[in-house]
Amino acid sequence: MKPSRVLLSSVVAFSLLALSGCGEKEPAKAADNGLPAECNEYVSTITTCVNKLGKDNKAMADQFKTQMDAATESWKKMSDKEALKNSCKAAMDAFKPTLSQLGC
């Protein structure tokens, strides 16, 4: 696996793990799909990058999609959408430097 793919896999795995640990509070307004806009942006950005990098590696792209689908379903069940929103924003901010390193 190329170093950029290893880095991307690590960042995605870490981000999904960090977001899964959000606390439970009063829910905030979510996007139509049950996720805050910040989470939709995060998912869309990472998915676009993985698809670009994984265009020659269908297995990696499929594995990522499976993981992201499971994560987003889990996030939809969270009652504290404000904490989820903040976690997605933090994950996106942390991932931005990696996007340019990966050429996304």
Side-chain angles (χ1 to χ4, degrees):
M1 187 179 283
K2 292 183 180 179
S4 63
R5 290 190 178 136
V6 171
L7 177 61
L8 179 63
S9 296
S10 298
V11 168
V12 171
F14 174 75
S15 297
L16 294 174
L17 178 64
L19 287 170
S20 69
C22 296
E24 297 291 324
K25 294 183 187 170
E26 191 164 323
K29 182 170 174 45
D32 291 336
N33 67 353
L35 295 175
E38 291 80 358
C39 295
N40 289 321
E41 175 190 6
Y42 175 73
V43 169
S44 175
T45 301
I46 290 183
T47 299
T48 299
C49 187
V50 168
N51 288 340
K52 177 182 177 183
L53 295 174
K55 65 183 175 197
D56 296 328
N57 187 341
K58 185 170 174 10
M60 181 190 78
D62 288 347
Q63 179 182 14
F64 168 79
K65 182 178 179 345
T66 299
Q67 291 173 343
M68 189 57 78
D69 289 348
T72 56
E73 287 305 312
S74 173
W75 300 343
K76 288 177 186 180
K77 296 174 185 172
M78 296 177 70
S79 62
D80 186 355
K81 298 299 189 207
E82 189 64 29
L84 179 59
K85 176 180 100 170
N86 293 334
S87 293
C88 288
K89 183 180 179 332
M92 187 69 219
D93 290 345
F95 193 64
K96 282 181 182 178
T98 304
L99 286 171
S100 61
Q101 291 174 356
L102 295 172
C104 292

